[in-house]
Amino acid sequence: MAQTVPQVVLVGRINAGKSTLFNKLAERGIALVSDIPGTTRDSNYARIDWRQASFTLVDTGGLDAATLGTVEIQVQERAYRAIKQATLIVLVVDGLGMVTSADREIAKFLRRTAAPTILVATKLDGPRKRRSVSPELYSLGLGEPHLVSGVSGAGTGDLLDAIVRQLPKGKRRAVPEPESSIRISIIGKTNVGKSSLFNALIGDERMIVAPEPHTTREPQDTTMTYHGTRITLVDTAGLRRTKHRRTALEAVSAKRTEDMISHSDICWLVTDISESLSAQDHAIAELARASQNGIIVVANKWDKVSDKTPTTIDEHEKRYRQYFTGMDWAPLMVVSALHHQRLRQLMDLTLKVHEARQRRLTDTQLQRILSDHAPRKAAPRKGTKSATELELHQTGITPPTFSLKARHTERIHTAYLNQVERALRTHYDFVGTPIIMNMHKKR
């Protein structure tokens, strides 16, 4: 029977220092950190291994939002859901300030929960600051506070020791972490339904979904198994044009999304099929192409398209092909995240793209491409003779990379390389992946 990894949940009011502490404990800059209240919206997750124990650390949004709009309400709903699922709760308070009424209300609520709670006072970088900690912390009724600094890391080792001691004995054993086979980034403009797609696939409303643009700020990931393949899904922040990024926080969020793209195997480029394609859609596609990722263009919100006929999808596919020129190798999948429509087909297509990116051909198969399916001689440039005695070899995968060797590479026109690529795609189904064609001079 599979062992369940315990969840340790960081909670507290806005700007108490939860995300800074989360990043220090996780030893990675997962959560966005800023002085802007309410920066953390979606819960962040990280696996922690400490002294032969493993647990999942969860960073939640602030529980004391001043104005409860749609997004803030969802932030708090997710925080309370994480508390209900917690094995252990860590209440984080600002050690430099006075205990607030919000701290008291949160502590009162936590004392009534089933999970044990540890009290942590953060932002305490040195001995002088630790000596100035308010004695009011003891009035929260959660025992001795642990004094830490999320910036310097002071006290975090002792905190991890305390967390491990509080975990149920049967759950202290380290659980091997499975390696993901495919890493998929869900990318696109703001408000095209990326988080709705993410939530529909993992069967959990982990991401905040709201009509306000740029709701998701931090890339979120989860690992699932589909037909025996480990898949890590990453929901990224929507990308707006640089001049339309209103805050420094949005710029940092966009940079993280771009980093996620460069570290992915496959990108789902999500668009809103009910709207016109824009220059930003094209720019995001170019980011994925530049990283040499596999790409599936996902036309979401099929439920919003009215007056459907048997040819409607074909009409939209023609429109997409005309817009994303040079990307005819990237398949189009029309879905509705809201109604979970064609999501299984999207997953099946993703496995097919992954298989294409791993495909390796023999020299015999490649020579057959040159002899039977491409012109026998390279198209010569003007005023030159044809390049003869061509050889084709595969030099890499993810993406498939090929080397065309000839005595006179300068005589080979790029149009010939395109012909060879088309022949490879036609006969060996390299769907959804770029193909890299290099030329080398034969000695």
Side-chain angles (χ1 to χ4, degrees):
M1 182 176 178
Q3 184 176 7
T4 303
V5 179
Q7 286 201 352
V8 177
V9 181
L10 302 181
V11 300
R13 58 184 171 85
I14 290 172
N15 269 25
K18 300 184 298 299
S19 294
T20 303
L21 178 60
F22 174 88
N23 285 341
K24 179 58 68 173
L25 295 176
E27 297 184 331
R28 290 183 290 161
I30 300 173
L32 286 180
V33 177
S34 79
D35 295 328
I36 300 173
T39 296
T40 300
R41 289 178 171 175
D42 302 303
S43 298
N44 295 296
Y45 296 76
R47 175 191 167 98
I48 307 294
D49 296 301
W50 183 259
R51 299 193 187 283
Q52 289 76 52
S54 298
F55 60 89
T56 298
L57 187 67
V58 185
D59 176 32
T60 62
L63 291 175
D64 62 330
T67 57
L68 293 180
T70 303
V71 172
E72 288 77 11
I73 289 174
Q74 292 193 50
V75 168
Q76 294 201 5
E77 287 176 349
R78 278 154 179 74
Y80 284 118
R81 183 187 303 169
I83 290 172
K84 289 181 179 179
Q85 298 172 346
T87 309
L88 176 68
I89 300 168
V90 177
L91 173 58
V92 181
V93 299
D94 185 345
L96 297 180
M98 300 297 292
V99 174
T100 67
S101 59
D103 292 325
R104 296 185 190 282
E105 287 298 319
I106 296 170
K108 181 179 178 181
F109 170 77
L110 294 179
R111 289 199 301 269
R112 298 196 299 266
T113 60
T117 301
I118 291 177
L119 177 62
V120 171
T122 190
K123 302 185 181 181
L124 303 174
D125 300 322
R128 180 182 296 179
K129 290 182 179 178
R130 291 191 181 91
R131 288 193 294 269
S132 65
V133 170
S134 172
E136 287 187 318
L137 289 175
Y138 292 90
S139 68
L140 295 176
L142 296 173
E144 183 84 18
H146 294 267
L147 310 183
V148 305
S149 167
V151 175
S152 67
T156 53
D158 292 337
L159 173 60
L160 287 170
D161 286 340
I163 289 173
V164 170
R165 284 195 299 269
Q166 291 274 15
L167 296 179
K169 291 184 179 180
K171 295 184 178 182
R172 291 188 184 184
R173 183 172 58 85
V175 180
E177 183 177 15
E179 294 185 1
S180 299
S181 296
I182 313 175
R183 188 171 182 85
I184 302 168
S185 283
I186 306 175
I187 63 174
K189 297 186 303 186
T190 58
N191 258 32
V192 292
K194 298 183 301 298
S195 294
S196 297
L197 181 60
F198 180 90
N199 289 340
L201 284 164
I202 68 172
D204 179 26
E205 293 183 1
R206 179 184 295 185
M207 305 302 300
I208 292 175
V209 181
E212 293 92 331
H214 206 71
T215 304
T216 301
R217 287 176 174 166
E218 297 132 309
Q220 302 286 329
D221 65 81
T222 194
T223 299
M224 63 171 67
T225 302
Y226 185 73
H227 289 333
T229 302
R230 295 284 186 181
I231 295 176
T232 298
L233 282 179
V234 184
D235 182 27
T236 64
L239 290 174
R240 288 196 279 205
R241 297 176 66 182
T242 304
K243 66 179 182 180
H244 292 158
R245 295 172 187 171
R246 300 173 183 172
T247 64
L249 183 61
E250 186 176 348
V252 173
S253 179
K255 179 61 168 62
R256 291 220 174 164
T257 294
E258 293 167 5
D259 290 342
M260 288 298 107
I261 291 173
S262 65
H263 290 91
S264 297
D265 301 306
I266 297 172
C267 288
W268 290 349
L269 174 59
V270 182
T271 64
D272 185 341
I273 195 172
S274 66
E275 296 182 351
S276 299
L277 294 166
S278 69
Q280 185 62 3
D281 290 312
H282 192 276
I284 296 170
E286 289 303 310
L287 282 176
R289 288 184 65 180
S291 295
Q292 298 181 351
N293 293 319
I295 300 175
I296 298 175
V297 181
V298 180
N300 190 26
K301 303 190 181 183
W302 177 241
D303 50 281
K304 294 179 66 175
V305 177
S306 58
D307 302 324
K308 300 182 182 74
T309 70
T311 62
T312 302
I313 289 182
D314 294 336
E315 293 166 1
H316 282 287
E317 181 164 8
K318 182 178 179 181
R319 172 170 68 94
Y320 273 71
R321 293 297 174 210
Q322 289 174 344
Y323 195 83
F324 292 112
T325 56
M327 268 179 49
D328 52 344
W329 49 265
L332 176 71
M333 179 60 67
V334 178
V335 306
S336 169
L338 182 63
H339 297 303
H340 294 208
Q341 190 174 9
R342 301 190 188 90
L343 300 189
R344 184 174 294 276
Q345 290 93 321
L346 174 59
M347 295 298 293
D348 291 339
L349 180 58
T350 299
L351 295 184
K352 188 175 181 181
V353 171
H354 178 62
E355 181 183 347
R357 287 174 60 76
Q358 303 285 330
R359 184 166 295 127
R360 189 180 291 276
L361 304 181
T362 65
D363 285 347
T364 301
Q365 290 172 311
L366 293 174
Q367 284 307 119
R368 190 177 298 122
I369 286 289
L370 292 184
S371 61
D372 298 345
H373 308 301
R376 293 181 179 277
K377 292 185 178 181
R381 296 181 185 274
K382 187 176 181 180
T384 65
K385 295 182 179 180
S386 299
T388 56
E389 300 183 27
L390 299 176
E391 293 180 8
L392 185 62
H393 304 279
Q394 185 167 3
T395 57
I397 57 174
T398 61
T401 304
F402 299 90
S403 172
L404 183 67
K405 292 185 176 182
R407 288 188 177 180
H408 302 286
T409 55
E410 71 281 357
R411 298 179 184 176
I412 299 178
H413 199 283
T414 54
Y416 181 73
L417 294 180
N418 293 337
Q419 291 175 354
V420 173
E421 180 179 338
R422 282 196 295 272
L424 287 170
R425 293 191 182 280
T426 300
H427 294 279
Y428 295 106
D429 196 20
F430 285 100
V431 62
T433 180
I435 288 179
I436 309 302
M437 296 291 300
N438 298 313
M439 286 192 296
H440 291 93
K441 188 181 291 292
K442 288 179 63 175
R443 294 181 179 178

